Amino acid sequence: MYKSFSMELAGRTLRVDIGRVAAQANGAAFMHYGDTVVLSTATASDKPREGIDFFPLSVEYEEKLYAVGKIPGGFIKREGKPSENAILTSRVIDRPMRPLFPKDYRNDVTLNNLVLCVDQDCSPELTAMLGSSIATCISDIPFDGPTASTMVGMVDGELVFNPTSAQREQSTLSLTVASTRDKVIMIEAGADEIPEEKMIEAIFAAHELNKKVIEFIDTIVAECGKPKHDYEKFEIPADLYEDMVNFITPEAMETAVFTDEKQVREANIKEITEKLEARYEEMNPDWLPLIPEAVYKFEKNTVRKMILKDKKRPDGRDMNQIRKLAAEIDILPRTHGSAMFARGQTQVLTVTTLGALAEIQKLDGIDENETGKRYMHHYNFPSYSVGETRPSRGPGRREIGHGALAEKALVPVLPSEEEFPYAIRTVSEVLESNGSTSQASICASTLSLMAAGVPIKAMVAGISVGLVTGDADDDYIILTDIQGLEDFFGDMDFKVAGTHKGITAIQMDIKINGLTREIIEKAIYQTKEARTYILNEVMASVISEPRKEVGPYSPKIKQIKMDPAKIGEVVGQRGKTINSIIEQTGVKIDITDEGAVSVCGVDKESIDRALHMIEMIVTDFEEGKIYEGKVISIKEFGAFIEFAPGKEGMVHISKISKERINRVEDVLTLGDKVRVVCLGQDKMGRISFSIKDVK
């Protein structure tokens, strides 16, 4: 017999069944939100994984197309690798959950979310976030939860919670907020230049709703929760740590990490490690495997103490100071657009490619609103960017996440399809990395788009701030433009992108159990100050507005509108007519169901020729109007003239020349280009033409 719990959440019923399915998992929640159904499970290994110094958490979000009544396309009729949306959802579930597990927990943990049925008005992603929290809380896995999550949209200036499908289509905000009982622990947002104060209002409105959901989860845990199991703790022996600190000395460690050169710092730490290895090889060989983790702890404590107590950053900057910035465009001579942006030892090159609308990425997922992407941003993080040697095996979850964040940041400023009828792809190549590569990719992409002649509405810049906290909520330091070391040893990576007008994207990762409102507000306004500086002083000095035209190596696209009823005439039987136009002109042609025709080619003459053919096909002949065509057939009684593929007319032999002729061939030859005038309809209702009456 299973137990069922329910609450009303944003006007719909959230129901959780415990004990109904998946009884062998450590914890399982059968989630229902409206008609959306997700099975969330939490499982842990019995023993810790050997030879690791991190918590091995895996989060999976599985989309099944049967959930929306689809059979997968292609030859293999089953789901393959996770979609981009599934990977991004897994990351959003992971980020608020990971900080609440014990730091020294080494047992493998998997949080799995299986999407079984989708109600488009009730987000399966949100349902999975709640399900993962509930499944882990009721399990015997150590976890300092619960967490709760809320999605926020904005329609006509008003906030809406867990928006429906129709509301998501109209919304200028896509915000997800996860909370613990008292604090905000995760923020993910895409926005249409939302002012900072409105974003803060939305975040904490979601936080208040999250508190109510946590009260609901508490009732489930009280009735169904299992006692948490004991686990093998992994701590550095106190006598090892004490001996190491005394031998190396805090002053020497400060000297080792106090540099703005990443390579110098790494060499210094390597030297310290080698000294410890030599010392303990004779003194206490049992400590040798523990040296890397002990040095990590010593280095971390040193960096945090320097920042929090001594108000010193490892590279000597002030707390709100940005590293040295540099930007340039047109790095690559023949690509459609290129730009490079550098911040300290972080350097990103972004390349823009423009294409016909036929190259829009098609999506086949469980969200009926997401059928294609006209703008694609891809982010690559090769090993050489951090001085390592490992082969490329395609983008990982982090690369997909960073690419999606930059894409989200730039979408609000892109021109509409009507304004700029191109498919657009930007690729950010990280050439050097020491923190905030995702935000550098946003800056580089903005410059690259403008250099390519994409008429974006405003420039977008991104910046990241970090955090180091003490023992009390009011004991903290916020750091502008964190480098890798400050991200690694700090408590937060708060990324904010936007224009002068407002925010377009946020992603907040933290390693502690939540942030107060004061910290979030200060972080958001600190990023605005830094963003404004980058936009004004660095990016605008390189290129202040988009170029008026696309470059010489970019495809040229012209667009016309036609009566949708004429589409069949342009396409022709089995595509014969449109393929003939493409073959003759070398262009690409896209036609929408609404009758928008886009012609893409490498030169203006070919495009104009193709457009003329299409216009001839869809235009009805008018009496007295002059046309130009080609002789394609000669008969005894006259000649047939082709004005465009599939569009023909006849000139009677009596209308060919002012003088009487006996044979059409005496005047016309196949392939001749001639000008004719329309004479209107004959007695049979056919359109007739004349060559001799052209004036």
Side-chain angles (χ1 to χ4, degrees), residues 619-627 677-680 687 689:
T619 302
D620 294 326
F621 290 121
E622 296 178 19
E623 185 176 350
K625 193 169 182 179
I626 296 173
Y627 300 92
V677 61
C678 179
L679 301 178
I687 303 294
F689 297 88

Side-chain angles (χ1 to χ4, degrees), residues 114 133 210 214 309 331 342 432 445 475 483 552 679:
L114 177 61
S133 175
N210 283 338
I214 287 174
K309 304 301 180 187
I331 304 295
E432 187 179 4
S445 297
D475 184 17
Q483 59 173 308
L679 301 178

Side-chain angles (χ1 to χ4, degrees), residues 4-78:
S4 189
F5 304 83
S6 64
M7 72 171 289
E8 289 302 303
L9 181 60
R12 284 144 284 171
T13 300
L14 175 68
R15 194 180 93 230
V16 184
D17 295 339
I18 306 296
R20 186 176 184 182
V21 294
Q24 296 188 51
N26 294 62
F30 201 43
M31 306 292 298
H32 304 256
Y33 189 32
D35 285 340
T36 290
V37 181
V38 177
L39 171 60
S40 298
T41 57
T43 52
S45 60
D46 293 333
K47 295 180 180 179
R49 194 197 299 183
E50 294 183 4
I52 61 170
D53 58 359
F54 60 92
F55 168 45
L57 172 66
S58 298
V59 179
E60 304 296 336
Y61 176 82
E62 297 184 52
E63 295 175 324
K64 301 296 185 181
L65 290 185
Y66 57 65
V68 289
K70 288 183 182 179
I71 295 175
F75 291 101
I76 302 173
K77 296 297 182 181
R78 68 179 300 162

Side-chain angles (χ1 to χ4, degrees), residues 371-445:
T371 57
K373 282 205 302 187
R374 173 176 163 244
Y375 174 64
M376 299 150 277
H377 185 279
H378 297 144
Y379 165 103
N380 296 313
F381 191 91
S383 58
Y384 63 74
S385 68
V386 287
E388 296 177 358
T389 57
R390 65 175 184 272
S392 174
R393 294 286 185 260
R397 289 189 172 195
R398 178 181 177 275
E399 290 169 293
I400 289 171
H402 280 4
L405 177 62
E407 185 175 291
K408 192 181 296 183
L410 289 160
V411 163
V413 301
L414 293 175
S416 67
E417 202 172 290
E418 291 72 27
E419 295 171 302
F420 193 72
Y422 287 85
I424 308 166
R425 182 186 185 224
T426 51
V427 179
S428 292
E429 305 286 358
V430 177
L431 307 181
E432 187 179 4
S433 171
N434 188 14
S436 282
T437 52
S438 65
Q439 302 309 287
S441 76
I442 292 170
C443 299
S445 297

Side-chain angles (χ1 to χ4, degrees), residues 133 320 336 369 542 650 663:
S133 175
N320 63 350
H336 302 163
N369 290 333
V542 175
M650 193 196 78
R663 297 170 65 250

